[in-house]
């Protein structure tokens, strides 16, 4: 019977900071995509914005502002994590 090594064990180079950095980069890219999609919609169109588990109807400029704030916060976290 052949045994295999456990693929789920983390290597020594993978730290909690690496996982946080990857998650932040994914969040940043997600916010950038959302802003790009919102910029292609007419400002008179209503959109739905997720807040927790509930979707709320809002305008494109308000949703864009919200996504921009989230993007700025994620970038600040990533910069703080990289400088530490």
């Amino acid at each position: 019977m052949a045994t295999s090594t456990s693929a789920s064990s983390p290597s020594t180079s993978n730290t909690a900071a690496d996982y946080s950095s990857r998650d932040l980069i994914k969040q940043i890219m997600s916010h950038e995509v959302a802003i790009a999609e919102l910029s292609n919609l007419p400002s008179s169109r209503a959109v739905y914005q997720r807040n927790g588990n509930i979707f709320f109807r809002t305008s494109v400029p308000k949703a864009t502002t919200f996504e921009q704030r989230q993007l700025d916060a994620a970038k600040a976290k990533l910069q703080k994590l990289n400088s530490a």
Side-chain angles (χ1 to χ4, degrees):
M1 197 181 251
T3 59
S4 64
T5 59
S6 176
S8 64
S9 65
S11 65
T12 57
S13 64
N14 290 338
T15 62
D18 291 337
Y19 293 124
S20 297
S21 177
R22 288 184 203 142
D23 291 340
L24 283 172
I25 291 171
K26 286 181 183 179
Q27 286 179 5
I28 288 170
M29 293 181 75
S30 174
H31 292 303
E32 288 174 345
V33 168
I35 291 170
E37 289 178 354
L38 287 167
S39 68
N40 288 322
L41 296 175
S43 61
S44 61
R45 181 171 178 179
V47 295
Y48 290 89
Q49 178 180 344
R50 186 174 186 171
N51 190 359
N53 290 330
I54 303 172
F55 288 88
F56 293 95
R57 188 174 174 168
T58 187
S59 66
V60 171
K62 287 182 183 179
T64 304
T65 303
F66 176 78
E67 288 294 330
Q68 188 63 48
R69 276 194 237 129
Q70 296 288 70
L71 176 63
D72 293 341
K75 283 183 178 180
K77 284 181 185 177
L78 182 62
Q79 187 177 18
K80 183 177 178 182
L81 185 65
N82 287 339
S83 66

